[in-house]
């Protein structure tokens, strides 16, 4: 197994992320989503938001360390990713994010053994109110 299973349950150091309008717009452009909530502040405000809204997969851009997990990026396949929100992320938010290892397991494939790493990133505002949870599975060969 490429990752020691003793990391399951460990949480990495939290990082504070400031969400900027430019980063939201660039991300929306990169994923090809022209919805005005992601680009037009006037539209977002008229829709009841304080500023432009981040697309649902925007936390993918947050760089939050994993606890005691190291691997070669050249050995990684993206397996699965999902997000749940208690409220939308908007420009101007400052979020405290951390990553936790949820599971590590191995499976046999046609090309040999593969290690699956399941992590969960949580984001909360600076008052401690939860904003989102993201779950990711990566596959190492």
């Amino acid at each position: 197994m490429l990752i020691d299973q003793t990391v399951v349950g460990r949480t990495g150091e939290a990082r504070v992320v400031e969400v900027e309008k430019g980063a939201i717009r660039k991300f929306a452009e990169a994923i090809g989503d022209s919805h005005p909530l992601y680009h037009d502040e006037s539209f977002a405000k008229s829709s009841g938001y304080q500023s432009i809204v981040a697309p649902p997969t925007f936390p993918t851009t947050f760089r939050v360390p994993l606890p005691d997990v190291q691997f070669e990026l050249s050995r990684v396949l993206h397996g699965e990713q999902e997000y749940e929100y208690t409220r939308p992320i908007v420009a101007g938010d400052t979020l405290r994010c951390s990553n936790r290892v949820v599971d590590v397991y191995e499976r046999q494939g046609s090309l040999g053994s593969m290690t699956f790493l399941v992590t969960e990133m949580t984001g909360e505002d600076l008052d401690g109110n939860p904003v989102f949870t993201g779950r990711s599975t990566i596959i190492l060969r």
Side-chain angles (χ1 to χ4, degrees), residues 14-122:
R15 293 276 167 91
V16 174
V17 177
E18 295 179 2
V19 179
E20 300 172 349
K21 292 177 197 173
I24 291 173
R25 289 182 179 122
K26 285 181 182 176
F27 184 79
E29 286 174 22
I31 62 172
D33 196 326
S34 60
H35 195 291
L37 275 179
Y38 309 144
H39 299 275
D40 184 342
E41 187 158 25
S42 296
F43 181 83
K45 286 183 174 180
S46 69
S47 300
Y49 299 100
Q50 291 184 340
S51 186
I52 61 173
V53 177
T57 56
F58 185 72
T60 304
T61 66
F62 299 169
R63 296 296 169 246
V64 180
L66 287 170
D68 305 319
V69 176
Q70 295 184 7
F71 48 80
E72 290 180 43
L73 287 177
S74 64
R75 302 182 65 97
V76 173
L77 296 171
H78 183 266
E80 181 177 35
Q81 195 153 20
E82 62 187 34
Y83 291 96
E84 293 181 26
Y85 287 86
T86 56
R87 69 164 177 81
I89 296 173
V90 297
D93 275 341
T94 301
L95 304 173
R96 184 180 305 110
C97 301
S98 60
N99 249 328
R100 181 173 67 94
V101 177
V102 175
D103 198 5
V104 176
Y105 58 95
E106 191 170 83
R107 286 191 179 160
Q108 291 297 316
S110 61
L111 298 176
S113 65
M114 301 177 289
T115 301
F116 289 72
L117 172 65
V118 183
T119 61
E120 186 175 272
M121 183 193 311
T122 56

